[in-house]
Amino acid sequence: MDRPQRIAFAASDSEAAQQALARMVGLYGQRALEEAEVIVALGGDGFMLQTLHATQDMAAPVYGMNCGTIGFLMNEYDVEDLPERLAAAEQEVINPLSMRAGDAAGQVHQALAINEVALLRAGPQAAKLRVSVDGKMRMEELVCDGALLSTPAGSTAYNYSAHGPILPIGSDVLALTAMAAFRPRRWRGAILPKSAVVRFDVLETAKRPVMADADSRHSVRDVLWVEIRSEPKVRHKILFDPGHGLEERLTREQFV
């Protein structure tokens, strides 16, 4: 992109991020989000997700600077030469997942998830799920602590902790991963095309309550069913320093 003149800064509530915000605004000024050519998010991955969700209807891309603990979606924090770094940055475009979840009260909830949609047991008993893909039942009964559907951008987050595969950006696939699967005991999940529509039906809901969660931002308790698909109409634009984009990070993560 051209050397930006209008930069909007946003920061998490952490002391380190707030100190970084004061330094950045002092050096480069502050524009309203609606006027910005680029948005700089100061914090960790959680704040980056929050910023992407909050600005999804804006044209400006988001450039993250790591003031948190993990920072997989973030660039290295440095106050020097920020306009030049932004001009040289490489852009990745990712689509979120769309979740529709029906609960025991008859309500249907909708939410977007950049990383993953997860179903989690909400009681002492393991969850019992029926799994369908594109209207065809693929697994009559999955007994587990939970299951999730992850985007490539989120494949190194909760999905990776659950021993799911790391997905390269641009691969147009999603990862379906079980957490502590009891039956089928050796089932390790599936890689599905990005166009797939995945539906979970919760079995024995009174005995085995389940909650659904989108990016740890929107949780629905006592779900009866959850339907998940990629949402191509929403395009999150993320900027990375050259050589440090998601593609490189995903590859590097597999050799540590």
Side-chain angles (χ1 to χ4, degrees), residues 76-114:
E76 182 181 354
Y77 173 72
D78 192 337
V79 299
E80 301 297 330
D81 303 320
L82 178 61
E84 289 75 15
R85 289 177 68 185
L86 294 175
E90 300 169 348
Q91 180 173 283
E92 301 276 5
V93 177
I94 59 176
N95 303 115
L97 297 172
S98 172
M99 176 188 82
R100 294 179 70 247
D103 67 16
Q107 294 183 309
V108 177
H109 306 259
Q110 299 188 56
L112 295 176
I114 296 168

Side-chain angles (χ1 to χ4, degrees), residues 5-218:
Q5 302 297 319
R6 303 189 306 275
I7 305 172
F9 294 95
S12 72
D13 293 332
S14 73
E15 182 178 352
Q18 288 297 313
Q19 291 177 351
L21 175 64
R23 294 188 67 188
M24 288 292 186
V25 171
L27 284 172
Y28 303 108
Q30 175 71 300
R31 290 295 187 109
L33 291 173
E34 297 78 9
E35 301 174 351
E37 296 173 89
V38 62
I39 298 164
V40 175
L42 304 166
D45 279 348
F47 184 71
M48 183 63 165
L49 291 178
Q50 178 182 327
T51 303
L52 290 171
H53 281 293
T55 62
Q56 69 183 36
D57 296 323
M58 300 180 184
V62 179
Y63 178 90
M65 279 192 164
N66 189 17
C67 299
T69 55
I70 298 177
F72 179 77
L73 296 173
M74 315 300 277
N75 299 285
E76 182 181 354
Y77 173 72
D78 192 337
V79 299
E80 301 297 330
D81 303 320
L82 178 61
E84 289 75 15
R85 289 177 68 185
L86 294 175
E90 300 169 348
Q91 180 173 283
E92 301 276 5
V93 177
I94 59 176
N95 303 115
L97 297 172
S98 172
M99 176 188 82
R100 294 179 70 247
D103 67 16
Q107 294 183 309
V108 177
H109 306 259
Q110 299 188 56
L112 295 176
I114 296 168
N115 274 358
E116 77 282 315
V117 173
L119 280 76
L120 306 166
R121 77 176 195 182
Q125 298 279 359
K128 187 177 286 189
L129 309 172
R130 178 180 296 128
V131 184
S132 302
V133 179
D134 293 333
K136 182 175 182 178
M137 187 181 69
R138 292 294 183 178
M139 187 169 291
E140 184 173 357
E141 187 177 282
L142 171 62
V143 182
C144 56
D145 280 351
L148 60 85
L149 190 69
S150 169
T151 66
S155 65
T156 57
Y158 198 172
N159 171 72
Y160 193 35
S161 297
H163 306 291
I166 293 179
L167 304 176
I169 295 298
S171 57
D172 288 335
V173 293
L174 304 172
L176 174 57
T177 302
M179 289 165 272
F182 175 73
R183 190 166 58 242
R185 188 176 296 275
R186 298 186 183 277
W187 190 64
R188 301 295 292 179
I191 295 177
L192 302 173
K194 187 177 179 179
S195 60
V197 178
V198 179
R199 179 183 172 104
F200 297 96
D201 288 285
V202 182
L203 309 178
E204 301 179 17
T205 56
K207 180 181 179 181
R208 304 171 185 271
V210 170
M211 64 176 289
D213 183 273
D215 271 358
S216 301
R217 297 179 67 251
H218 189 104

Side-chain angles (χ1 to χ4, degrees), residues 189-251:
I191 295 177
L192 302 173
K194 187 177 179 179
S195 60
V197 178
V198 179
R199 179 183 172 104
F200 297 96
D201 288 285
V202 182
L203 309 178
E204 301 179 17
T205 56
K207 180 181 179 181
R208 304 171 185 271
V210 170
M211 64 176 289
D213 183 273
D215 271 358
S216 301
R217 297 179 67 251
H218 189 104
S219 297
V220 184
R221 300 193 68 85
D222 297 320
V223 292
L224 304 182
W225 57 268
V226 178
E227 189 175 271
I228 313 164
R229 67 183 73 206
S230 183
E231 180 47 81
K233 294 180 180 178
V234 180
R235 302 173 74 250
H236 294 290
K237 293 173 285 186
I238 309 178
L239 297 176
F240 292 100
D241 292 332
H244 295 278
L246 283 181
E247 192 73 54
E248 166 62 21
R249 292 173 185 222
L250 289 170
T251 300

Side-chain angles (χ1 to χ4, degrees), residues 1 44 209:
M1 64 184 297

